[in-house]
Amino acid sequence: MAKSRSVVELTTRYDLGGVDKIRSLSLSPHSDSQTLVYLGTFSGSLLLLSLDTSTNIVARLGALSLTASSPVESIFVLGHEERGRVLALCNGYLFVVDSLLSHPAKRLGGVLRGISVVARRVRRRESTDEVLLPSYEVSGESSSSKKFLKMLGGGNRVSDVVNGKDSRREGHYVFAVAINERMLLIELEDEKIDSFVVLKEIVGIGGGVKTLVWLDDYVVAGTDKGYSLISCVTGKSGVIFALPDVSGPPLLKLMCKEWKVLLLVDNVGVVVDTNGQPVGGSLVFRGRPDSVGELSFYLVTVGDGKMEVHQKKSGACVQSVSFGPEGCGPSVLAVDETGDGNLLAVTSMSKVIFYRRVPYEEQIKDLLRKKRYREAISLVEELDSEGEISKEMLSFLHAQIGYLLLFDLRFEEAVNQFLKSESMEPSEVFPFIMRDPNRWSLQVPRNRYWGLHPPPAPLEDVVDNGLSAIQRAIFLRKAGMDTPVDEEFSSNPPSRADLLESAIKNMTRYLEVSREKELSHPVREGIDTLLMLLYRALNRVEDMENLASSVNNCVVEELETLLNESEHLRTLAFLYASKGMSAKALAIWRLFAKNYSSGLWQDSDDLVPYLHENELIRLSGKEAAGAEAARILEEPCDPELALQHLSWISDINPLFAIQVLTSDKRTEELLPEKVIQAIDPQKVEIIQRYLQWLIEDRDYNDPQLHTSYALSLAKSALECVEVQNGNQENDSGGREAHDCNAGSISLFESDVRERLQTFLQSSDLYDPEEILTLIEGSELWLEKAILYRRIGQETVVLQILALKLEDCAAAEQYCVEIGRPDAFMQLLDMYLDPQNGKEPMFKAAVRLLHNHGESLDPLQVLEKLSPDMPLKLASDTILRMLRARVHHHRQGQIVHNVSRALDVDSRLARLEERSRHVQINDESLCDSCFARLGTKLFAMYPDDTIVCYKCYRRLGESKSVTGRDFKRDPLIKPGWLVNR
């Protein structure tokens, strides 16, 4: 069973005296400090009390007798102003009296007799009142709820309301009255205190109605048989559910906050909506209540001298109060629902007891003092869900509960509450991590809490004080004193080490989340620095390194000594690098590499994770040191610093050195001369890769640089050739030659000779003679050919291609590039007479004649042919060459003769044009201006048009009167050779 807490507290009591018991009760706020209390007795009297809420003094203001012996069943207060009235049900009649009971009561007569129960209509804010307003203007779009009053019929009952002034106050004076098997919907008029209007009569509701609730357009009625739902629009009724044969009388309660109705079956409450449909689960009370009231998000029940406060959602009892003896008879409960909703009153025979709801802050304080944290958290969450507290107060409560949980050694729950608080500043937890005074002491806000917890102290002190408090509470409990203590801690006290570890872990979690907030720079510095300290305390090395290597606000001065002492040098190096202190970071990485290389430190079998180009790879400790140093030097830094550390980085891995030298992030370029001096001459590939980057990527045009690169490649090629030749001599089996770079890390994807050949062909800035001097006596024939070609020695190039390399295609292509026929003859001569005792290359000669025979003189070819060349091998080629030669000659003669014929034809046509005659007489006219020509000068165009000289000057010699331009569209006349 849940522990009780104080939701309501006793305010005052009032005793009527005598033997008259209270039957009904109603509260009405009169002012901010005064509440009117109306009491109905079993003897038919109506009493008026006044409660001063500021002094809790009850005064009797008046009394009025309605009948001699019948009880006052119910009381309704209609307003609390001077014109306010009170409606009371007594002896089957309705009585109306003024709010101060200063005038005699008036009974409403007519059809209102034999009334069993009355209910006032309650409307939601969004609902309309047109359902009860008689109106004759009903549109086709109106709902049925707007039409039923027209069907009520005219007559005197509604004519006064329609024609007169409507002074109703939003339906507050509309009631449902149950009389036997019918129900009347009536409205009280303001003008006449004893006048009413019957709005509608609903029959066939069944007899024995004992309780009613009217919400919007539906009335829920309770009888001994069960509960039913009646529509005020159609008058139809339906059964919600029937009551068991053995059960108490029905009881209804309107829940105004949710706009639902509570139906009771003995001690079980069922909540339904306006359509009679159950909502949520059932509420089970300890006993059958005599009366039910609604207090904020609680339900209050009274019965058998006890008052219980239940949660609406779960029905759990949170407080139980005894206000009278057992068997004192039925009790009545009333809540000030129209005021602030904090006052309630209960009756016990002739006594009325007043209670006031305890403020939520006081309830939470009481729970926290008793260390009932879960109930306090539940109450806060319930207040938030009901909208009873502001966001600022909610954040304050979460922080306050978090502090108490922290000092009670519940660190995980404390941090959970801290994270829910939007107003709590992360700097508030700084004193728990670092003792005052410190760099961030002034950043800690002095927030005012409820004073339920001690001031902040380091976590070690919190744990020590908490353990002492637990031991003290256990001792006091054994001595018989009731002290609040955690049952789990008392039965199984945790160790100091476990508690301290839990405290640090959860404080770390809070700071990690706080890093994502928008905070001032000093606070960010404090969070990151203290987070590093907490990681160090937990020995979370990976988290320390991740924090130090990322963008952070750590203060190096606060961490430098501590990290050095604890030998977290990697973390310190990352921290130096992130703060731009590259020299210190590189010194640490160099120390790592030196210790690993010298054997002072043993490289662990566990490889270190390293992020390279967004890919996670694992390196040894030595390689990781070099990689991190290279990463620092890739960024903008002092060039001298890069040259200083380049040597040991290249010793670990040449790739790291290349990353440093070829970085595009550097703002200040390294001087190539200094770089080459800084690199060990034995590390040829690093120099070559650096020179290649300068030439190809940076477009360096320094001839000396190009020559140095070519010489370096040539030396490497010579060494590779020597190694391959040595391997081939040792490997008599004819297996593949070993790579000259086997066993080392290669910085290039291609072979060194391939790179040398590509560079010699692509660059024009190196000195070819210097390269030739180096490789003159070597077997690098293709490289020699490229170099000789650069210096224009065509014969030597052809000799190398044709005789040394025996690359016929390359030799022929080179002759094509030369573009002279003598080049092919020279190549043919080399094939036929190789010299130096080499056999003639007849197949290559035939290939040359076959591919380029047209470009050779047959006579010269025949002169060059060796007598030793087999006739069968050359006959077909020579025959084809001669046929091609004759064909070429005859084709030339044809072209020559055709050209002569065209020339003769054009000359003849021109002569004919010049020798043409035209006859002009006195009647001849100019084809342009139509003037008579007579003896004037004239001109004739090829299309036989004639114009005077003036028009000829205007038109020009190439354009006639017809508009034809003879230069663009020449006129071709048939001749003896050329036709159209």
Side-chain angles (χ1 to χ4, degrees):
M1 186 175 67
K3 297 180 180 179
S4 176
R5 71 166 185 264
S6 297
V7 178
V8 296
E9 60 182 358
L10 179 65
T11 300
T12 186
R13 300 172 180 267
Y14 185 80
D15 191 351
L16 299 182
V19 294
D20 200 0
K21 296 182 180 180
I22 301 173
R23 178 65 180 88
S24 56
L25 175 65
S26 180
L27 303 180
S28 175
H30 188 69
S31 64
D32 294 338
S33 60
Q34 185 181 17
T35 300
L36 299 180
V37 183
Y38 295 91
L39 304 175
T41 65
F42 279 90
S43 62
S45 298
L46 187 62
L47 306 178
L48 175 60
L49 306 179
S50 174
L51 171 63
D52 191 337
T53 55
S54 59
T55 60
N56 296 330
I57 297 177
V58 180
R60 181 167 179 168
L61 299 182
L64 194 65
S65 177
L66 300 181
T67 61
S69 58
S70 297
V72 178
E73 299 293 341
S74 56
I75 303 172
F76 300 93
V77 181
L78 311 180
H80 56 273
E81 301 175 357
E82 295 181 356
R83 299 178 57 187
R85 291 176 290 174
V86 176
L87 181 69
L89 174 62
C90 182
N91 196 24
Y93 293 96
L94 288 178
F95 295 87
V96 180
V97 66
D98 62 287
S99 60
L100 297 179
L101 308 186
S102 57
H103 299 286
K106 293 188 177 182
R107 191 182 71 181
L108 300 181
V111 296
L112 299 180
R113 63 181 62 184
I115 300 173
S116 58
V117 65
V118 179
R120 182 193 297 183
R121 185 192 185 214
V122 179
R123 293 187 305 110
R124 283 180 285 191
R125 293 180 181 179
E126 63 270 17
S127 65
T128 64
D129 197 33
E130 297 181 12
V131 65
L132 296 177
L133 296 179
S135 173
Y136 294 107
E137 298 178 2
V138 181
S139 65
E141 297 178 356
S142 299
S143 64
S144 59
S145 64
K146 297 179 182 179
K147 294 180 179 179
F148 90 94
L149 286 173
K150 185 176 180 180
M151 295 186 293
L152 292 177
N156 296 328
R157 292 185 178 180
V158 298
S159 61
D160 294 337
V161 179
V162 175
N163 299 326
K165 181 179 179 181
D166 183 14
S167 60
R168 287 183 309 276
R169 301 178 182 178
E170 300 183 355
H172 284 188
Y173 300 170
V174 180
F175 293 86
V177 178
I179 305 175
N180 295 327
E181 295 185 357
R182 61 193 180 110
M183 183 172 66
L184 300 180
L185 307 183
I186 67 171
E187 180 182 16
L188 301 185
E189 295 185 0
D190 282 344
E191 300 297 333
K192 299 179 181 179
I193 193 171
D194 58 349
S195 177
F196 65 93
V197 176
V198 177
L199 300 176
K200 188 171 185 177
E201 180 178 354
I202 301 174
V203 297
I205 64 172
V209 177
K210 295 185 177 181
T211 179
L212 285 179
V213 168
W214 187 2
L215 179 60
D216 289 341
D217 300 340
Y218 293 91
V219 176
V220 181
T223 65
D224 292 330
K225 296 181 179 180
Y227 295 99
S228 58
L229 184 69
I230 304 170
S231 173
C232 299
V233 179
T234 62
K236 296 181 179 180
S237 63
V239 177
I240 299 177
F241 61 81
L243 290 176
D245 294 336
V246 182
S247 65
L251 181 61
L252 294 173
K253 173 56 186 175
L254 175 64
M255 302 167 65
C256 297
K257 289 185 177 294
E258 292 81 8
W259 300 107
K260 297 178 176 62
V261 182
L262 177 67
L263 289 64
L264 275 88
V265 182
D266 289 335
N267 66 325
V268 179
V270 180
V271 180
V272 299
D273 58 14
T274 54
N275 296 320
Q277 297 298 322
V279 180
S282 301
L283 306 178
V284 180
F285 305 112
R286 296 180 181 178
R288 186 191 179 283
D290 297 330
S291 182
V292 180
E294 183 182 23
L295 184 69
S296 184
F297 49 86
Y298 298 104
L299 286 177
V300 184
T301 62
V302 293
D304 201 19
K306 289 184 179 180
M307 178 177 65
E308 294 180 349
V309 182
H310 301 263
Q311 291 181 344
K312 277 186 183 179
K313 295 182 179 179
S314 63
C317 179
V318 296
Q319 185 181 9
S320 179
V321 179
S322 296
F323 58 86
E326 295 184 7
C328 61
S331 300
V332 182
L333 169 68
V335 180
D336 179 15
E337 297 177 352
T338 59
D340 57 7
N342 294 329
L343 181 66
L344 61 91
V346 296
T347 64
S348 174
M349 295 187 291
S350 62
K351 297 178 182 178
V352 56
I353 305 99
F354 297 94
Y355 294 89
R356 179 167 293 277
R357 181 174 61 85
V358 178
Y360 299 124
E361 293 83 354
E362 297 300 326
Q363 295 184 42
I364 297 172
K365 285 181 183 179
D366 182 60
L367 291 173
L368 294 178
R369 289 190 186 98
K370 298 176 180 178
K371 298 185 181 296
R372 293 161 60 180
Y373 301 116
R374 293 181 181 177
E375 294 181 49
I377 294 172
S378 176
L379 177 58
V380 170
E381 293 174 349
E382 194 167 6
L383 289 169
D384 181 40
S385 64
E386 296 291 337
E388 295 287 343
I389 54 176
S390 62
K391 289 186 177 181
E392 293 77 11
M393 189 61 186
L394 179 65
S395 297
F396 173 85
L397 291 174
H398 280 307
Q400 175 64 83
I401 296 173
Y403 274 112
L404 289 168
L405 287 168
L406 188 143
F407 282 101
D408 209 31
L409 308 183
R410 300 166 178 258
F411 300 109
E412 183 177 359
E413 299 175 44
V415 170
N416 292 340
Q417 294 301 311
F418 287 158
L419 294 176
K420 291 180 181 180
S421 175
E422 297 180 1
S423 61
M424 180 177 175
E425 299 183 23
S427 56
E428 293 185 42
V429 303
F430 288 180
F432 292 102
I433 305 171
M434 182 176 285
R435 292 185 182 275
D436 287 331
N438 55 61
R439 181 189 291 264
W440 299 282
S441 295
L442 297 179
Q443 302 299 326
V444 180
R446 299 295 183 250
N447 290 339
R448 287 185 170 272
Y449 291 98
W450 285 340
L452 301 178
H453 61 82
L459 292 175
E460 295 89 342
D461 297 347
V462 172
V463 171
D464 292 339
N465 296 334
L467 289 174
S468 300
I470 293 174
Q471 296 297 330
R472 185 166 51 253
I474 294 174
F475 176 77
L476 293 175
R477 175 170 290 188
K478 290 180 179 179
M481 298 182 64
D482 186 15
T483 57
V485 64
D486 193 323
E487 298 295 338
E488 182 181 354
F489 283 177
S490 62
S491 60
N492 186 20
S495 66
R496 182 181 185 277
D498 293 340
L499 286 173
L500 191 56
E501 182 182 1
S502 175
I504 296 175
K505 284 182 177 180
N506 286 282
M507 199 61 70
T508 301
R509 180 165 62 94
Y510 177 72
L511 292 182
E512 287 174 344
V513 176
S514 300
R515 291 192 74 207
E516 307 299 326
K517 297 181 180 180
E518 293 291 335
L519 303 168
S520 62
H521 182 68
V523 176
R524 286 184 174 275
E525 286 184 344
I527 289 176
D528 286 357
T529 306
L530 298 179
L531 188 58
M532 184 69 76
L533 294 178
L534 295 177
Y535 284 152
R536 174 179 169 272
L538 295 172
N539 198 28
R540 289 165 57 173
V541 178
E542 186 174 351
D543 290 328
M544 293 172 64
E545 294 179 359
N546 290 337
L547 176 60
S549 59
S550 63
V551 178
N552 62 80
N553 296 281
C554 295
V555 180
V556 179
E557 294 79 4
E558 295 286 338
L559 300 172
E560 194 171 13
T561 304
L562 293 173
L563 294 177
N564 255 321
E565 293 175 353
S566 60
E567 297 184 353
H568 291 100
L569 297 182
R570 280 178 56 89
T571 302
L572 185 57
F574 285 127
L575 189 59
Y576 281 145
S578 67
K579 298 303 178 183
M581 305 168 71
S582 302
K584 290 186 176 182
L586 290 169
I588 294 177
W589 293 125
R590 187 169 188 175
L591 177 64
F592 268 91
K594 181 179 179 181
N595 290 338
Y596 281 124
S597 300
S598 62
L600 184 61
W601 291 356
Q602 293 296 326
D603 214 342
S604 174
D605 294 335
D606 297 331
L607 300 181
V608 179
Y610 174 74
L611 188 64
H612 176 65
E613 295 181 355
N614 296 327
E615 181 180 357
L616 187 64
I617 59 177
R618 292 191 172 272
L619 305 174
S620 64
K622 180 180 177 181
E623 289 180 327
E628 295 298 343
R631 177 181 290 176
I632 294 174
L633 294 176
E634 287 181 39
E635 302 295 332
C637 64
D638 184 9
E640 295 298 330
L641 196 62
L643 298 176
Q644 178 184 350
H645 294 273
L646 189 60
S647 177
W648 69 268
I649 293 176
S650 61
D651 291 339
I652 296 176
N653 193 326
L655 291 174
F656 297 156
I658 294 302
Q659 291 176 17
V660 175
L661 295 175
T662 61
S663 174
D664 293 331
K665 303 175 183 178
R666 187 176 292 108
T667 56
E668 188 175 353
E669 292 288 345
L670 301 175
L671 295 178
E673 299 81 5
K674 292 187 176 181
V675 172
I676 295 175
Q677 291 176 4
I679 301 175
D680 186 356
Q682 299 299 324
K683 299 171 182 175
V684 179
E685 279 204 342
I686 297 179
I687 298 176
Q688 292 177 2
R689 181 66 185 88
Y690 174 64
L691 293 176
Q692 180 188 22
W693 176 75
L694 289 176
I695 294 171
E696 296 180 1
D697 296 346
R698 308 298 292 180
D699 297 329
Y700 268 65
N701 295 324
D702 185 4
Q704 184 178 357
L705 202 65
H706 284 244
T707 303
S708 299
Y709 180 48
L711 288 173
S712 179
L713 289 175
K715 291 178 182 178
S716 298
L718 290 174
E719 293 174 359
C720 282
V721 170
E722 292 178 2
V723 172
Q724 291 174 357
N725 290 338
N727 291 336
Q728 289 177 357
E729 291 176 1
N730 297 329
D731 193 0
S732 58
R735 290 176 296 177
E736 259 186 52
H738 297 288
D739 188 0
C740 60
N741 292 324
S744 62
I745 299 176
S746 178
L747 303 179
F748 301 95
E749 297 179 357
S750 58
D751 180 68
V752 63
R753 289 195 62 184
E754 182 180 348
R755 285 184 277 118
L756 175 59
Q757 295 164 9
T758 303
F759 178 70
L760 293 178
Q761 289 177 343
S762 61
S763 175
D764 296 328
L765 300 177
Y766 60 86
D767 185 358
E769 295 182 356
E770 193 172 349
I771 314 299
L772 278 171
T773 303
L774 178 64
I775 65 173
E776 187 63 39
S778 67
E779 299 293 327
L780 303 179
W781 295 112
L782 183 56
E783 290 81 354
K784 291 180 183 180
I786 297 172
L787 291 170
Y788 280 120
R789 180 180 179 182
R790 288 290 184 192
I791 61 179
Q793 296 190 19
E794 299 173 356
T795 303
V796 179
V797 175
L798 285 175
Q799 288 176 348
I800 294 174
L801 294 177
L803 304 180
K804 297 296 183 180
L805 299 177
E806 297 184 0
D807 190 347
C808 300
E812 292 175 10
Q813 180 61 32
Y814 183 59
C815 292
V816 173
E817 293 176 3
I818 294 174
R820 300 193 310 272
D822 62 315
F824 291 102
M825 290 302 303
Q826 188 177 8
L827 179 60
L828 180 62
D829 187 42
M830 292 179 184
Y831 285 152
L832 297 177
D833 187 13
Q835 307 268 333
N836 297 328
K838 191 175 183 179
E839 294 293 330
M841 303 170 64
F842 295 128
K843 291 185 179 181
V846 172
R847 171 192 168 92
L848 176 63
L849 295 175
H850 178 76
N851 293 335
H852 303 282
E854 300 175 356
S855 303
L856 301 175
D857 187 355
L859 295 178
Q860 293 182 4
V861 171
L862 290 174
E863 291 176 359
K864 295 290 184 180
L865 289 178
S866 171
D868 299 332
M869 183 177 182
L871 182 61
K872 182 179 179 181
L873 187 64
S875 60
D876 293 340
T877 302
I878 295 174
L879 181 62
R880 187 163 53 251
M881 182 181 67
L882 292 175
R883 287 176 179 173
R885 191 76 178 183
V886 173
H887 174 73
H888 182 70
H889 174 70
R890 289 177 179 176
Q891 193 175 26
Q893 286 180 336
I894 293 172
V895 172
H896 175 70
N897 292 332
V898 171
S899 299
R900 287 189 62 188
L902 289 174
D903 181 64
V904 171
D905 184 56
S906 61
R907 288 183 181 184
L908 180 60
R910 186 174 182 181
L911 180 61
E912 288 179 355
E913 287 296 321
R914 286 181 177 274
S915 61
R916 278 200 305 159
H917 293 83
V918 61
Q919 184 177 359
I920 301 297
N921 54 29
D922 294 340
E923 301 298 328
S924 300
L925 302 177
C926 174
D927 290 336
S928 177
C929 65
F930 304 104
R932 293 182 181 276
L933 295 178
T935 58
K936 297 179 182 178
L937 290 175
F938 64 90
M940 184 174 67
Y941 289 95
D943 59 354
D944 298 334
T945 57
I946 301 173
V947 295
C948 63
Y949 186 73
K950 183 178 179 181
C951 293
Y952 168 74
R953 292 291 301 275
R954 178 173 55 83
L955 295 173
E957 62 179 8
S958 62
K959 195 171 184 180
S960 69
V961 181
T962 58
R964 184 170 186 171
D965 191 345
F966 296 104
K967 289 185 177 180
R968 297 182 179 179
D969 185 16
L971 183 64
I972 300 176
K973 294 185 178 182
W976 69 274
L977 181 63
V978 180
N979 295 322
R980 282 189 185 273

